[in-house]
Every structure is written in structure tokens, then in C-alpha cells.
């Protein structure tokens, strides 16, 4: 079992920045693909970006390209999402998720952290 705990969410003005952190339990963290998702009320959950076991990243959600950056620190069992130039439309609950080796989909999820961007 993997436990994921997000932190760093909050209220920020448009144009501001936040850095989300996701701390993972387990000694096999380096074997997981780690992803960030977000969901606004009444909307479908959407994939933001993921970082692979190798450290390489997937493509970013089009609406966040050039503004968000994912990274991981395997020594700290932590994945980050740096968010810059935030827009009100970025307001959502952000979730950290892990996909274990061989899994077809993400199989572990954090509780989510609220990000609110004011106009």
C-alpha cells in the first residue's frame, strides 16, 4: 500500500505561483510513475502531467504548458508541481497519484489539495 500526502495548496492571486508537494510512503517510490491531476466542481478530472521512473516527463495538459513544471526527488520520496502565472481557470482540487510498475492505470491517490486562484 502506498500513501500519498499533498501539501502546498491555497489561495493565490492571478499571476502568482504555488508549489505543490506530494510525499509518498514506501521504499519503492522510485519505481512509480507519479502524476498530477486536477478536478473542478462539475467537471471531469483531467490529467495535468506525470514524471516517469526514469525522470522523464509526459506531455503537459495544453492549458498549463509553459506554466507548470513537474519534478521528483527520489531520495525524499517526493514529487512536486511548480505552478507559475496562475489563472482563475486553474482553480481546482489537485491530486497526486502513483502508478506502480506494470499497472495499467494509476492505482494510488492522495486526498487532494485545493488551489484557488482569484481574479
Amino acid at each position: 500500500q502506498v500513501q500519498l500526502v499533498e501539501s502546498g495548496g491555497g489561495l493565490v492571486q492571478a499571476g502568482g505561483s504555488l508549489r505543490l508537494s506530494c510525499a509518498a510512503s514506501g521504499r519503492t517510490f522510485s519505481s512509480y510513475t507519479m502524476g498530477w491531476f486536477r478536478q473542478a466542481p462539475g467537471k471531469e478530472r483531467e490529467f495535468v502531467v506525470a514524471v516517469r521512473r526514469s525522470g522523464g516527463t509526459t506531455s503537459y495538459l495544453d492549458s498549463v504548458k509553459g506554466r507548470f513544471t513537474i519534478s521528483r526527488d527520489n531520495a525524499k520520496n517526493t514529487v512536486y508541481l511548480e505552478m507559475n502565472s496562475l489563472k482563475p481557470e486553474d482553480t481546482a482540487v489537485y491530486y497526486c497519484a502513483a502508478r506502480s510498475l506494470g499497472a495499467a492505470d494509476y492505482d494510488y491517490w492522495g486526498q487532494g489539495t485545493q488551489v484557488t486562484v482569484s481574479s
Side-chain angles (χ1 to χ4, degrees):
Q1 183 66 225
V2 176
Q3 184 170 306
L4 306 175
V5 180
E6 299 104 329
S7 62
L11 176 65
V12 65
Q13 289 184 271
S17 299
L18 285 173
R19 189 179 75 162
L20 306 183
S21 298
C22 174
S25 66
R27 56 185 176 87
T28 58
F29 174 79
S30 62
S31 71
Y32 307 143
T33 292
M34 301 297 299
W36 287 99
F37 295 75
R38 67 184 188 183
Q39 187 170 30
K43 297 182 179 179
E44 191 171 309
R45 183 196 295 149
E46 58 185 353
F47 172 78
V48 178
V49 68
V51 58
R52 299 187 177 97
R53 301 168 189 88
S54 65
T57 61
T58 68
S59 179
Y60 287 76
L61 179 68
D62 284 345
S63 61
V64 309
K65 285 181 179 177
R67 300 188 297 117
F68 289 13
T69 303
I70 191 171
S71 62
R72 71 188 298 162
D73 187 338
N74 289 342
K76 297 180 179 179
N77 279 15
T78 302
V79 63
Y80 305 94
L81 184 68
E82 183 179 347
M83 306 183 294
N84 299 312
S85 301
L86 283 161
K87 305 174 180 179
E89 48 264 48
D90 294 319
T91 295
V93 177
Y94 284 71
Y95 296 92
C96 176
R99 187 172 70 201
S100 57
L101 187 63
D105 206 350
Y106 290 86
D107 43 1
Y108 302 102
W109 294 82
Q111 80 286 352
T113 185
Q114 178 70 46
V115 172
T116 303
V117 184
S118 62
S119 301

